Amino acid sequence: MLRRAKTATVYKEVPTDDEDENPLGNDEFSSDDNADDSWNPEAKGSGRKSVARKPAKPREPKAKKERKPKEPRPKKEPKPKVPRPKKEPKPKAERKPRAPRVPKGKKVEPPEDSRTGTEPEQTPEMMEEGAGGVDETEGVQEPVRVKDERLSFPMATGPNSSEASGSGLTSSTNQPSLLVKKEEPGEDFTFGEPVAKKQKTSATSQGRPVKQSKSLNVFGEGLHMNWDPIQVLAQKTGVEQWVCANIAQLIHEENTIPFLVRYRKEMINYMDADALREVQLALEELCALAKKCQSVIQTLKKDGVLTSELDVSLRNCRVFDELDHVYSPYKKGSKLSKARRAKQLGLEPAVLALLQTPQFLNLHAYIKPNTEGLSTYEEVAMGVEQILADMIAKDPDTLTHVRSLCDSSAVMLQSCVSKTALKEKQEQHQQQQQQQRGDQKNKIKDIDKFQLYSDFSCHIHRVQPHQTLAINRGENLKILTVKVNVPDRVKNDFCRWCVNLRWRPKGFARPEQMKILNDAIEDSYKRLILPLLCRGYRTKLTVTAEKESVAMFVRNLRQRLLVCPVRGRAILGVDPGYRHGCKLAILSPVGQILQTDVVYLHSSGSKTNEAGKVRHLMLKHSCQTVVIGNGTACRETEAFFADLIKQRFFQPLDVSYCIADEAGASIYSVSAEAVKEMPDLDPNIRSAVSIGRRVQDPLAELVKIDPKHIGIGTYQHDVSQPLLRAALDGTVQECVSFVGVDINICSETLMRHVAGLNAGRARSIAEWREKSGPFQNREQLKQVKGLGPKSFQQCAGFIRINPETAASMHSDDGPSTNKPLAKKGKGKASAPISNQPNPLDQTCIHPESYNIAMKFLSVVGGSVSQLGQADLKQRVEECVRDRGLEDLGRSLDTSPDTLQLIVDGLTQPPGFDMRQEFDLPDFKRGIVSMSDLRPGAVLTGRVTNTALFGAFVDVGVGRNGLIPNRFITAAKLPEDLRRRSLALGPGQRVEVSVIDVDHQRKRITLDLLRVLR
């Protein structure tokens, strides 16, 4: 303690006139660097705070010598420093440049030690001496000015440190050996400011941050939280901060995901559409959380119960569960919580006294015999316990610790058949001799469906997504009872930690007071914390399972939409049926309806006449391809056509058939869209037309149907419907945009799914097309009403204008003049737009890059009239090979990614379709049955659907087989399919072997051998 007494003596000589003057108000330094408070008096004289302590202090050599060595010397310090202020009249002028020692020479008044503590003032000098600082005999050095840096050093806290600073230097004898560390102030993110660009890391050297708008507020006007949204977004998604900042800025500017993925790759660090959508959804979730928090704050403020502490707690919440946990006691209609009732009785000071000064606490003083809740000592103690339990349950450090205890323990998810379901099952078994109602039969069947989860137990971290969704469904049907089992060891360790560390009273607590503390901790854990943990685990499992299920939907939908179209063939679409017959529709190679009919192939009458009708239709329209829906009577209809093909019944035609998924066809046939498109046809005939068109152009036909009705994925009714809807709609938009649409021939339904367009803009484009004729170039889109600059930017790159299509439509419409139309709106009318075709409009090159494309063509010596020709392709490839994309990009003042898009657009043939890289449907001429299968047989098939537990494969026996997940290993997949987002999906051809055939349950278990290309 001699060292502390010595330092206090030195501090008495520091002036106090300027103590209250803190011109900077340096509140930004966190409380963990409490030495800053002790440095302030030395820098008060200057306009800025002096944080550099390296300049020498030669005017007080004796003082430094006396401080540095051992502790007996402090007695000599007070007197030597009294005469020194008189010898230093100049320090006043040197205080402005922030000389470290100048303030000490100004005055001799003592009162500094009583306010700021003991050791901190001598710290800079001790640090210099310990680190080999300036020699004491040197002259005065020029003061060093450091603007944005400060000195920091290890601090020790304990009961001997001063109360004002909260910490002091370590008093060990090796104090001078502490090293000075130069530390930059940590970046303090605010909601209206962007994240600094320097957060870009070497791992993402190809990407580049976008210039952020200083006025950007991710949450919107008037919404603020106590955490940075970009930082939290990066933590939730695992994406780097600068990428999250770019994405937030670009989405704020109303950019679409397809546009960002294709034309802004470097700004999003080359993320794919799925990863980008995940970040977008997480950002929207944070914005929704901020809006809900603001709404809660306004409600509480209106009710008059909002306090500063409650406001901080609400704004600290980062997930909805935390927000609900804080807000639930204050909700309207809910009973007043026990803690709030106790606070209203005035027991909160007793709780604070119990934690801070328990030796002076007298709970008997709070007893009021005539007041309910305070009439006895037991009631007062109970009130204190309830307030303390509430404080413990809402303490962030406590919740973090108990979660860490759970993470290191075996927390189990358990489910069993509910008592209600068991009782109903027993009653129904007693009525087996009586006639049972249909709903009772369904109930028994439902119980049998959940047999796997009737006695289920699994570690919380090993529960599979499909198991979570199945358990949730059983719980919603009141068939299963579900609980999260947290081991008792967690409770014991938690209570011990609270009593001994976190909530330990700072003074001596009597046994009855410690009993109150122990009871409060146990009550808080059992009544508040444990339910919160269980809800958190269930919510986390559900959210993870929903994301996996939605990702499976998205993957299946994308592969279903991108199936290669069958072009140039007339097709017979068949919607099979028994009683109402098989509906037939002959479609032209471009999808026009040529003829329709109904045949009864499965009735008791003669099938020869019906087969003759089919042959007549096919010969009349030269149709060699039959598409059969996979609905009712599909197997029998397939056998009928296979038998006729085997008999060469359709000679001279070489007929083949395929099976198409007809999911959603019946719903579409009665929709307003189908009625508008085919007003004169029967709904059953419309189904046959839809089945045939699904093979001719799957994308154009399937976008007419709600993605949830296409028959992809599993548990679609058990996941968040808004999340599923947003993901599926976004996937449809990506597929339509990446494939591209010919604006002059595509339907209005297909057009509305292009990035940047919607139903209203698509309608306006269709009206413009009807009124003014076909579009000749992309610039004419600017004349469409409701299509502004931003919409044009987003959609222009995905819209194609085929010169041949435009010319043929123009000639069919007659000699109508294609006059430019002025857009209706404010301001001056725009300049007339040329009607001349631009060959670049049929490529994926964006209009904003046309100038660069023309410069590149001049470099390679080509012209736009040579698009897709072998000569131009050879020149481009040679130029890129010789100079490289990066060098060419620098010379053309563009990025390598933009130049690569230009190269692709110039070298791809006119009418290029990215779906040509995908497989065609399987066309067959024969049939096998399930009875022909034997274990070990090797078959080829096509994936029809994938679920969270495996993939379903059609091997041509009328019943899909299942490849369980355990057989879909990375070694069996091609390298380009080993990514999670590109696993097995609908449409992929596979080679499988039969593992087991269960004829009774009609189940086929398969093993994946390889993926066929």
Side-chain angles (χ1 to χ4, degrees):
M1 301 305 293
L2 291 177
R3 178 179 291 273
R4 296 184 181 278
K6 174 198 75 170
T7 342
T9 310
V10 176
Y11 239 88
K12 289 181 180 179
E13 298 181 328
V14 180
T16 58
D17 293 349
D18 302 324
E19 281 181 356
D20 296 333
E21 302 173 9
N22 187 1
L24 289 180
N26 291 322
D27 295 332
E28 70 270 12
F29 296 111
S30 57
S31 60
D32 58 337
D33 238 345
N34 292 322
D36 293 350
D37 297 335
S38 62
W39 296 346
N40 289 345
E42 289 189 352
K44 306 302 182 194
S46 61
R48 302 279 296 178
K49 178 179 177 180
S50 177
V51 292
R53 296 298 179 193
K54 292 187 179 180
K57 319 295 180 193
R59 300 210 177 238
E60 296 175 351
K62 294 182 180 179
K64 294 183 79 170
K65 286 183 178 179
E66 290 174 359
R67 282 188 219 130
K68 160 83 171 155
K70 297 183 179 178
E71 297 176 354
R73 298 187 182 181
K75 301 178 181 178
K76 300 179 181 180
E77 288 183 353
K79 294 182 180 179
K81 293 203 172 185
V82 175
R84 290 191 181 277
K86 299 179 181 179
K87 297 180 181 180
E88 293 181 354
K90 295 182 180 180
K92 291 184 178 179
E94 293 183 0
R95 284 171 57 192
K96 294 182 179 178
R98 295 190 291 279
R101 276 296 179 184
V102 169
K104 286 195 174 185
K106 181 179 179 182
K107 291 190 179 181
V108 194
E109 281 84 22
E112 181 67 41
D113 63 334
S114 61
R115 186 182 71 85
T116 57
T118 57
E119 289 87 11
E121 182 58 23
Q122 67 178 356
T123 299
E125 301 166 286
M126 296 175 63
M127 294 300 98
E128 288 174 12
E129 292 179 7
V134 183
D135 186 24
E136 299 173 2
T137 60
E138 289 182 5
V140 180
Q141 281 191 349
E142 282 294 328
V144 180
R145 180 176 181 180
V146 183
K147 183 177 181 180
D148 292 327
E149 297 180 347
R150 60 179 177 172
L151 297 175
S152 65
F153 40 81
M155 305 296 293
T157 59
N160 297 329
S161 59
S162 63
E163 295 180 2
S165 61
S167 63
L169 285 176
T170 307
S171 59
S172 60
T173 56
N174 60 352
Q175 177 79 17
S177 63
L178 295 175
L179 297 179
V180 178
K181 180 180 68 172
K182 185 180 291 185
E183 175 179 288
E184 293 185 4
E187 298 205 8
D188 187 13
F189 295 102
T190 28
F191 285 102
E193 299 177 0
V195 181
K197 291 184 180 180
K198 71 177 185 179
Q199 291 170 346
K200 172 182 172 182
T201 63
S202 59
T204 58
S205 57
Q206 291 182 327
R208 60 182 176 90
V210 68
K211 290 184 178 180
Q212 298 289 312
S213 171
K214 292 184 178 181
S215 61
L216 174 64
N217 187 345
V218 174
F219 294 146
E221 296 295 332
L223 298 178
H224 299 282
M225 303 293 283
N226 290 343
W227 37 265
D228 177 62
I230 302 300
Q231 193 175 24
V232 174
L233 182 63
Q235 294 173 355
K236 291 186 66 173
T237 59
V239 179
E240 296 186 1
Q241 276 188 306
W242 71 268
V243 182
C244 291
N246 284 0
I247 294 174
Q249 174 74 16
L250 293 168
I251 291 177
H252 179 74
E253 295 172 354
E254 299 180 355
N255 291 285
T256 60
I257 289 181
F259 178 80
L260 296 179
V261 171
R262 175 168 286 184
Y263 299 110
R264 297 292 185 267
K265 294 180 181 179
E266 67 279 1
M267 291 186 178
I268 62 173
N269 201 28
Y270 306 93
M271 296 172 63
D272 59 16
D274 292 336
L276 188 57
R277 188 186 304 107
E278 183 179 352
V279 176
Q280 183 187 28
L281 293 176
L283 180 61
E284 292 175 354
E285 182 180 350
L286 292 179
C287 294
L289 176 65
K291 291 180 181 178
K292 183 176 180 180
C293 178
Q294 185 67 20
S295 174
V296 168
I297 289 175
Q298 294 296 333
T299 301
L300 296 178
K301 185 183 296 184
K302 184 178 179 181
D303 296 341
V305 296
L306 182 67
T307 62
S308 58
E309 294 80 4
L310 181 57
D311 184 273
V312 171
S313 298
L314 290 170
R315 295 187 187 274
N316 284 338
C317 297
R318 300 191 179 192
V319 294
F320 284 99
D321 283 347
E322 293 181 6
L323 185 63
D324 292 337
H325 180 63
V326 176
Y327 175 51
S328 57
Y330 304 92
K331 287 183 179 179
K332 289 183 178 179
S334 61
K335 296 191 301 182
L336 204 62
S337 68
K338 297 179 179 179
R340 287 185 64 192
R341 286 198 298 267
K343 288 180 181 180
Q344 290 181 354
L345 294 174
L347 293 178
E348 191 170 8
V351 176
L352 300 178
L354 176 62
L355 297 175
Q356 300 293 334
T357 56
Q359 63 272 24
F360 303 117
L361 176 62
N362 182 15
L363 292 181
H364 293 277
Y366 291 89
I367 298 177
K368 298 180 181 179
N370 298 326
T371 304
E372 184 180 357
L374 299 177
S375 58
T376 63
Y377 176 84
E378 288 74 15
E379 291 183 353
V380 172
M382 180 61 68
V384 172
E385 176 185 323
Q386 291 165 353
I387 296 177
L388 187 55
D390 184 70
M391 292 174 59
I392 294 172
K394 293 180 179 178
D395 179 60
D397 294 338
T398 303
L399 294 178
T400 301
H401 181 74
V402 72
R403 289 190 177 107
S404 67
L405 292 176
C406 291
D407 291 340
S408 60
S409 303
V411 181
M412 309 294 288
L413 178 70
Q414 299 176 344
S415 68
C416 60
V417 180
S418 65
K419 295 180 179 179
T420 304
L422 287 175
K423 184 177 179 180
E424 291 181 358
K425 188 175 183 179
Q426 291 174 358
E427 292 177 354
Q428 291 167 4
H429 277 299
Q430 294 174 359
Q431 300 174 358
Q432 286 181 354
Q433 303 299 330
Q434 303 176 2
Q435 185 177 1
Q436 299 178 359
R437 295 180 299 177
D439 57 345
Q440 291 176 334
K441 294 180 181 180
N442 293 336
K443 191 71 175 182
I444 294 177
K445 188 180 296 185
D446 288 341
I447 294 177
D448 295 338
K449 285 181 179 179
F450 293 96
Q451 184 178 1
L452 290 175
Y453 306 102
S454 60
D455 187 16
F456 178 82
S457 180
C458 181
H459 194 285
I460 204 76
H461 294 151
R462 298 192 183 97
V463 180
Q464 298 299 315
H466 67 276
Q467 293 174 334
T468 300
L469 295 176
I471 289 173
N472 290 348
R473 178 187 292 181
E475 187 179 30
N476 293 334
L477 294 174
K478 301 186 184 306
I479 296 176
L480 298 178
T481 298
V482 188
K483 70 175 182 176
V484 176
N485 186 12
V486 180
D488 293 337
R489 184 180 68 84
V490 173
K491 175 185 175 183
N492 298 333
D493 293 347
F494 171 75
C495 294
R496 189 182 306 113
W497 177 81
C498 288
V499 172
N500 296 331
L501 295 175
R502 184 69 181 91
W503 298 95
R504 180 179 182 178
K506 294 186 177 180
F508 174 76
R510 295 183 295 276
E512 62 271 15
Q513 294 173 341
M514 291 302 298
K515 182 179 183 303
I516 294 176
L517 178 62
N518 288 325
D519 292 345
I521 293 172
E522 291 190 9
D523 177 59
S524 177
Y525 178 83
K526 181 179 179 180
R527 181 169 56 91
L528 301 174
I529 295 179
L530 184 59
L532 176 65
L533 293 174
C534 295
R535 289 195 304 269
Y537 279 120
R538 293 293 304 277
T539 301
K540 186 176 180 180
L541 286 174
T542 301
V543 169
T544 302
E546 286 183 348
K547 287 183 178 179
E548 289 293 328
S549 181
V550 170
M552 186 69 67
F553 269 95
V554 167
R555 193 155 58 245
N556 293 346
L557 177 62
R558 181 182 292 113
Q559 297 196 7
R560 181 69 62 83
L561 294 178
L562 295 180
V563 171
C564 184
V566 178
R567 302 187 184 278
R569 297 190 191 182
I571 285 182
L572 171 63
V574 181
D575 182 10
Y578 290 117
R579 183 176 179 182
H580 299 287
C582 296
K583 281 69 67 178
L584 309 179
I586 298 287
L587 304 176
S588 70
V590 293
Q592 295 178 347
I593 303 173
L594 300 179
Q595 189 172 349
T596 62
D597 202 348
V598 179
V599 293
Y600 298 87
L601 305 179
H602 313 301
S603 62
S604 57
S606 174
K607 297 182 180 180
T608 305
N609 295 335
E610 303 300 315
K613 290 183 181 180
V614 175
R615 182 174 185 275
H616 174 72
L617 286 175
M618 300 185 69
L619 290 174
K620 178 180 177 180
H621 299 285
S622 300
C623 176
Q624 302 184 82
T625 304
V626 180
V627 179
I628 304 173
N630 65 345
T632 305
C634 168
R635 187 66 177 169
E636 291 77 3
T637 305
E638 180 185 8
F640 176 82
F641 276 95
D643 196 30
L644 293 180
I645 292 173
K646 185 177 181 181
Q647 298 174 12
R648 301 180 180 272
F649 183 75
F650 299 107
Q651 287 287 356
L653 299 177
D654 184 14
V655 177
S656 61
Y657 71 90
C658 71
I659 306 298
D661 189 351
E662 66 174 31
S666 58
I667 297 177
Y668 164 73
S669 64
V670 295
S671 65
E673 188 71 29
V675 173
K676 180 180 178 181
E677 185 179 1
M678 298 172 282
D680 301 329
L681 293 182
D682 182 82
N684 294 321
I685 299 297
R686 293 177 192 153
S687 297
V689 174
S690 177
I691 291 171
R693 287 177 174 173
R694 290 186 183 197
V695 173
Q696 282 189 324
D697 193 345
L699 181 62
E701 188 64 24
L702 292 177
V703 296
K704 303 175 184 178
I705 305 169
D706 190 335
K708 293 189 297 184
H709 299 151
I710 298 180
I712 53 174
T714 54
Y715 299 101
Q716 68 179 30
H717 300 295
D718 300 303
V719 302
S720 170
Q721 296 304 306
L723 178 65
L724 180 62
R725 164 63 64 182
L728 296 183
D729 289 347
T731 304
V732 173
Q733 185 187 65
E734 294 156 20
C735 293
V736 173
S737 300
F738 292 154
V739 171
V741 297
D742 189 338
I743 196 67
N744 288 320
I745 61 174
C746 73
S747 64
E748 182 180 326
T749 305
L750 182 62
M751 200 188 310
R752 71 179 60 158
H753 292 288
V754 176
L757 300 182
N758 53 26
R761 292 169 190 154
R763 190 181 310 110
S764 299
I765 292 175
E767 293 174 355
W768 193 98
R769 190 171 59 188
E770 294 175 1
K771 183 177 181 180
S772 305
F775 288 89
Q776 301 297 321
N777 54 55
R778 286 171 171 170
E779 289 295 319
Q780 288 182 320
L781 289 169
K782 297 179 179 179
Q783 300 173 348
V784 177
K785 179 181 178 182
L787 199 68
K790 193 65 183 181
S791 300
F792 176 80
Q793 179 197 39
Q794 300 298 306
C795 73
F798 307 115
I799 286 177
R800 308 284 187 269
I801 297 180
N802 191 330
E804 298 178 359
T805 305
S808 62
M809 293 184 63
H810 194 277
S811 60
D812 293 342
D813 293 341
S816 63
T817 58
N818 203 341
K819 297 181 180 180
L821 300 177
K823 291 179 65 175
K824 297 181 181 180
K826 298 180 181 179
K828 298 181 180 179
S830 59
I833 296 176
S834 172
N835 297 334
Q836 297 300 320
N838 187 341
L840 294 177
D841 289 341
Q842 56 183 320
T843 68
C844 61
I845 303 173
H846 197 280
E848 65 185 9
S849 302
Y850 280 179
N851 293 334
I852 301 173
M854 298 305 296
K855 292 179 182 178
F856 180 70
L857 282 173
S858 64
V859 170
V860 300
S863 65
V864 292
S865 60
Q866 300 175 311
L867 291 180
Q869 297 182 8
D871 183 31
L872 179 62
K873 183 177 181 180
Q874 182 179 0
R875 293 183 184 180
V876 169
E877 290 176 351
E878 289 178 357
C879 182
V880 173
R881 184 173 57 253
D882 294 341
R883 298 184 56 181
L885 283 176
E886 294 186 1
D887 184 37
L888 285 171
R890 283 192 296 268
S891 64
L892 296 174
D893 193 20
T894 188
S895 65
D897 304 293
T898 303
L899 187 58
Q900 183 62 56
L901 273 176
I902 293 174
V903 170
D904 294 340
L906 296 178
T907 56
Q908 289 170 351
F912 172 78
D913 192 337
M914 62 175 291
R915 293 175 293 175
Q916 295 173 1
E917 302 174 359
F918 293 82
D919 295 329
L920 287 167
D922 284 330
F923 292 95
K924 302 182 290 183
R925 293 179 174 84
I927 187 173
V928 294
S929 64
M930 189 172 175
S931 58
D932 298 330
L933 297 181
R934 296 291 183 274
V938 177
L939 306 170
T940 59
R942 187 173 297 275
V943 178
T944 59
N945 195 7
T946 56
L948 296 173
F949 47 83
F952 293 97
V953 180
D954 179 11
V955 291
V957 297
R959 191 77 178 180
N960 290 341
L962 173 66
I963 306 178
N965 269 342
R966 63 181 181 274
F967 296 136
I968 306 176
T969 60
K972 300 178 182 179
L973 298 173
E975 291 185 2
D976 58 335
L977 296 181
R978 292 178 184 176
R979 291 175 51 199
R980 173 182 168 277
S981 61
L982 296 176
L984 289 181
Q988 289 181 324
R989 296 183 66 245
V990 293
E991 186 177 63
V992 296
S993 66
V994 180
I995 295 179
D996 180 58
V997 181
D998 187 344
H999 294 280
Q1000 183 178 0
R1001 304 172 69 186
K1002 295 184 178 180
R1003 291 185 176 182
I1004 307 171
T1005 305
L1006 304 173
D1007 181 15
L1008 175 65
L1009 298 181
R1010 62 191 178 101
V1011 178
L1012 301 177
R1013 295 298 182 92

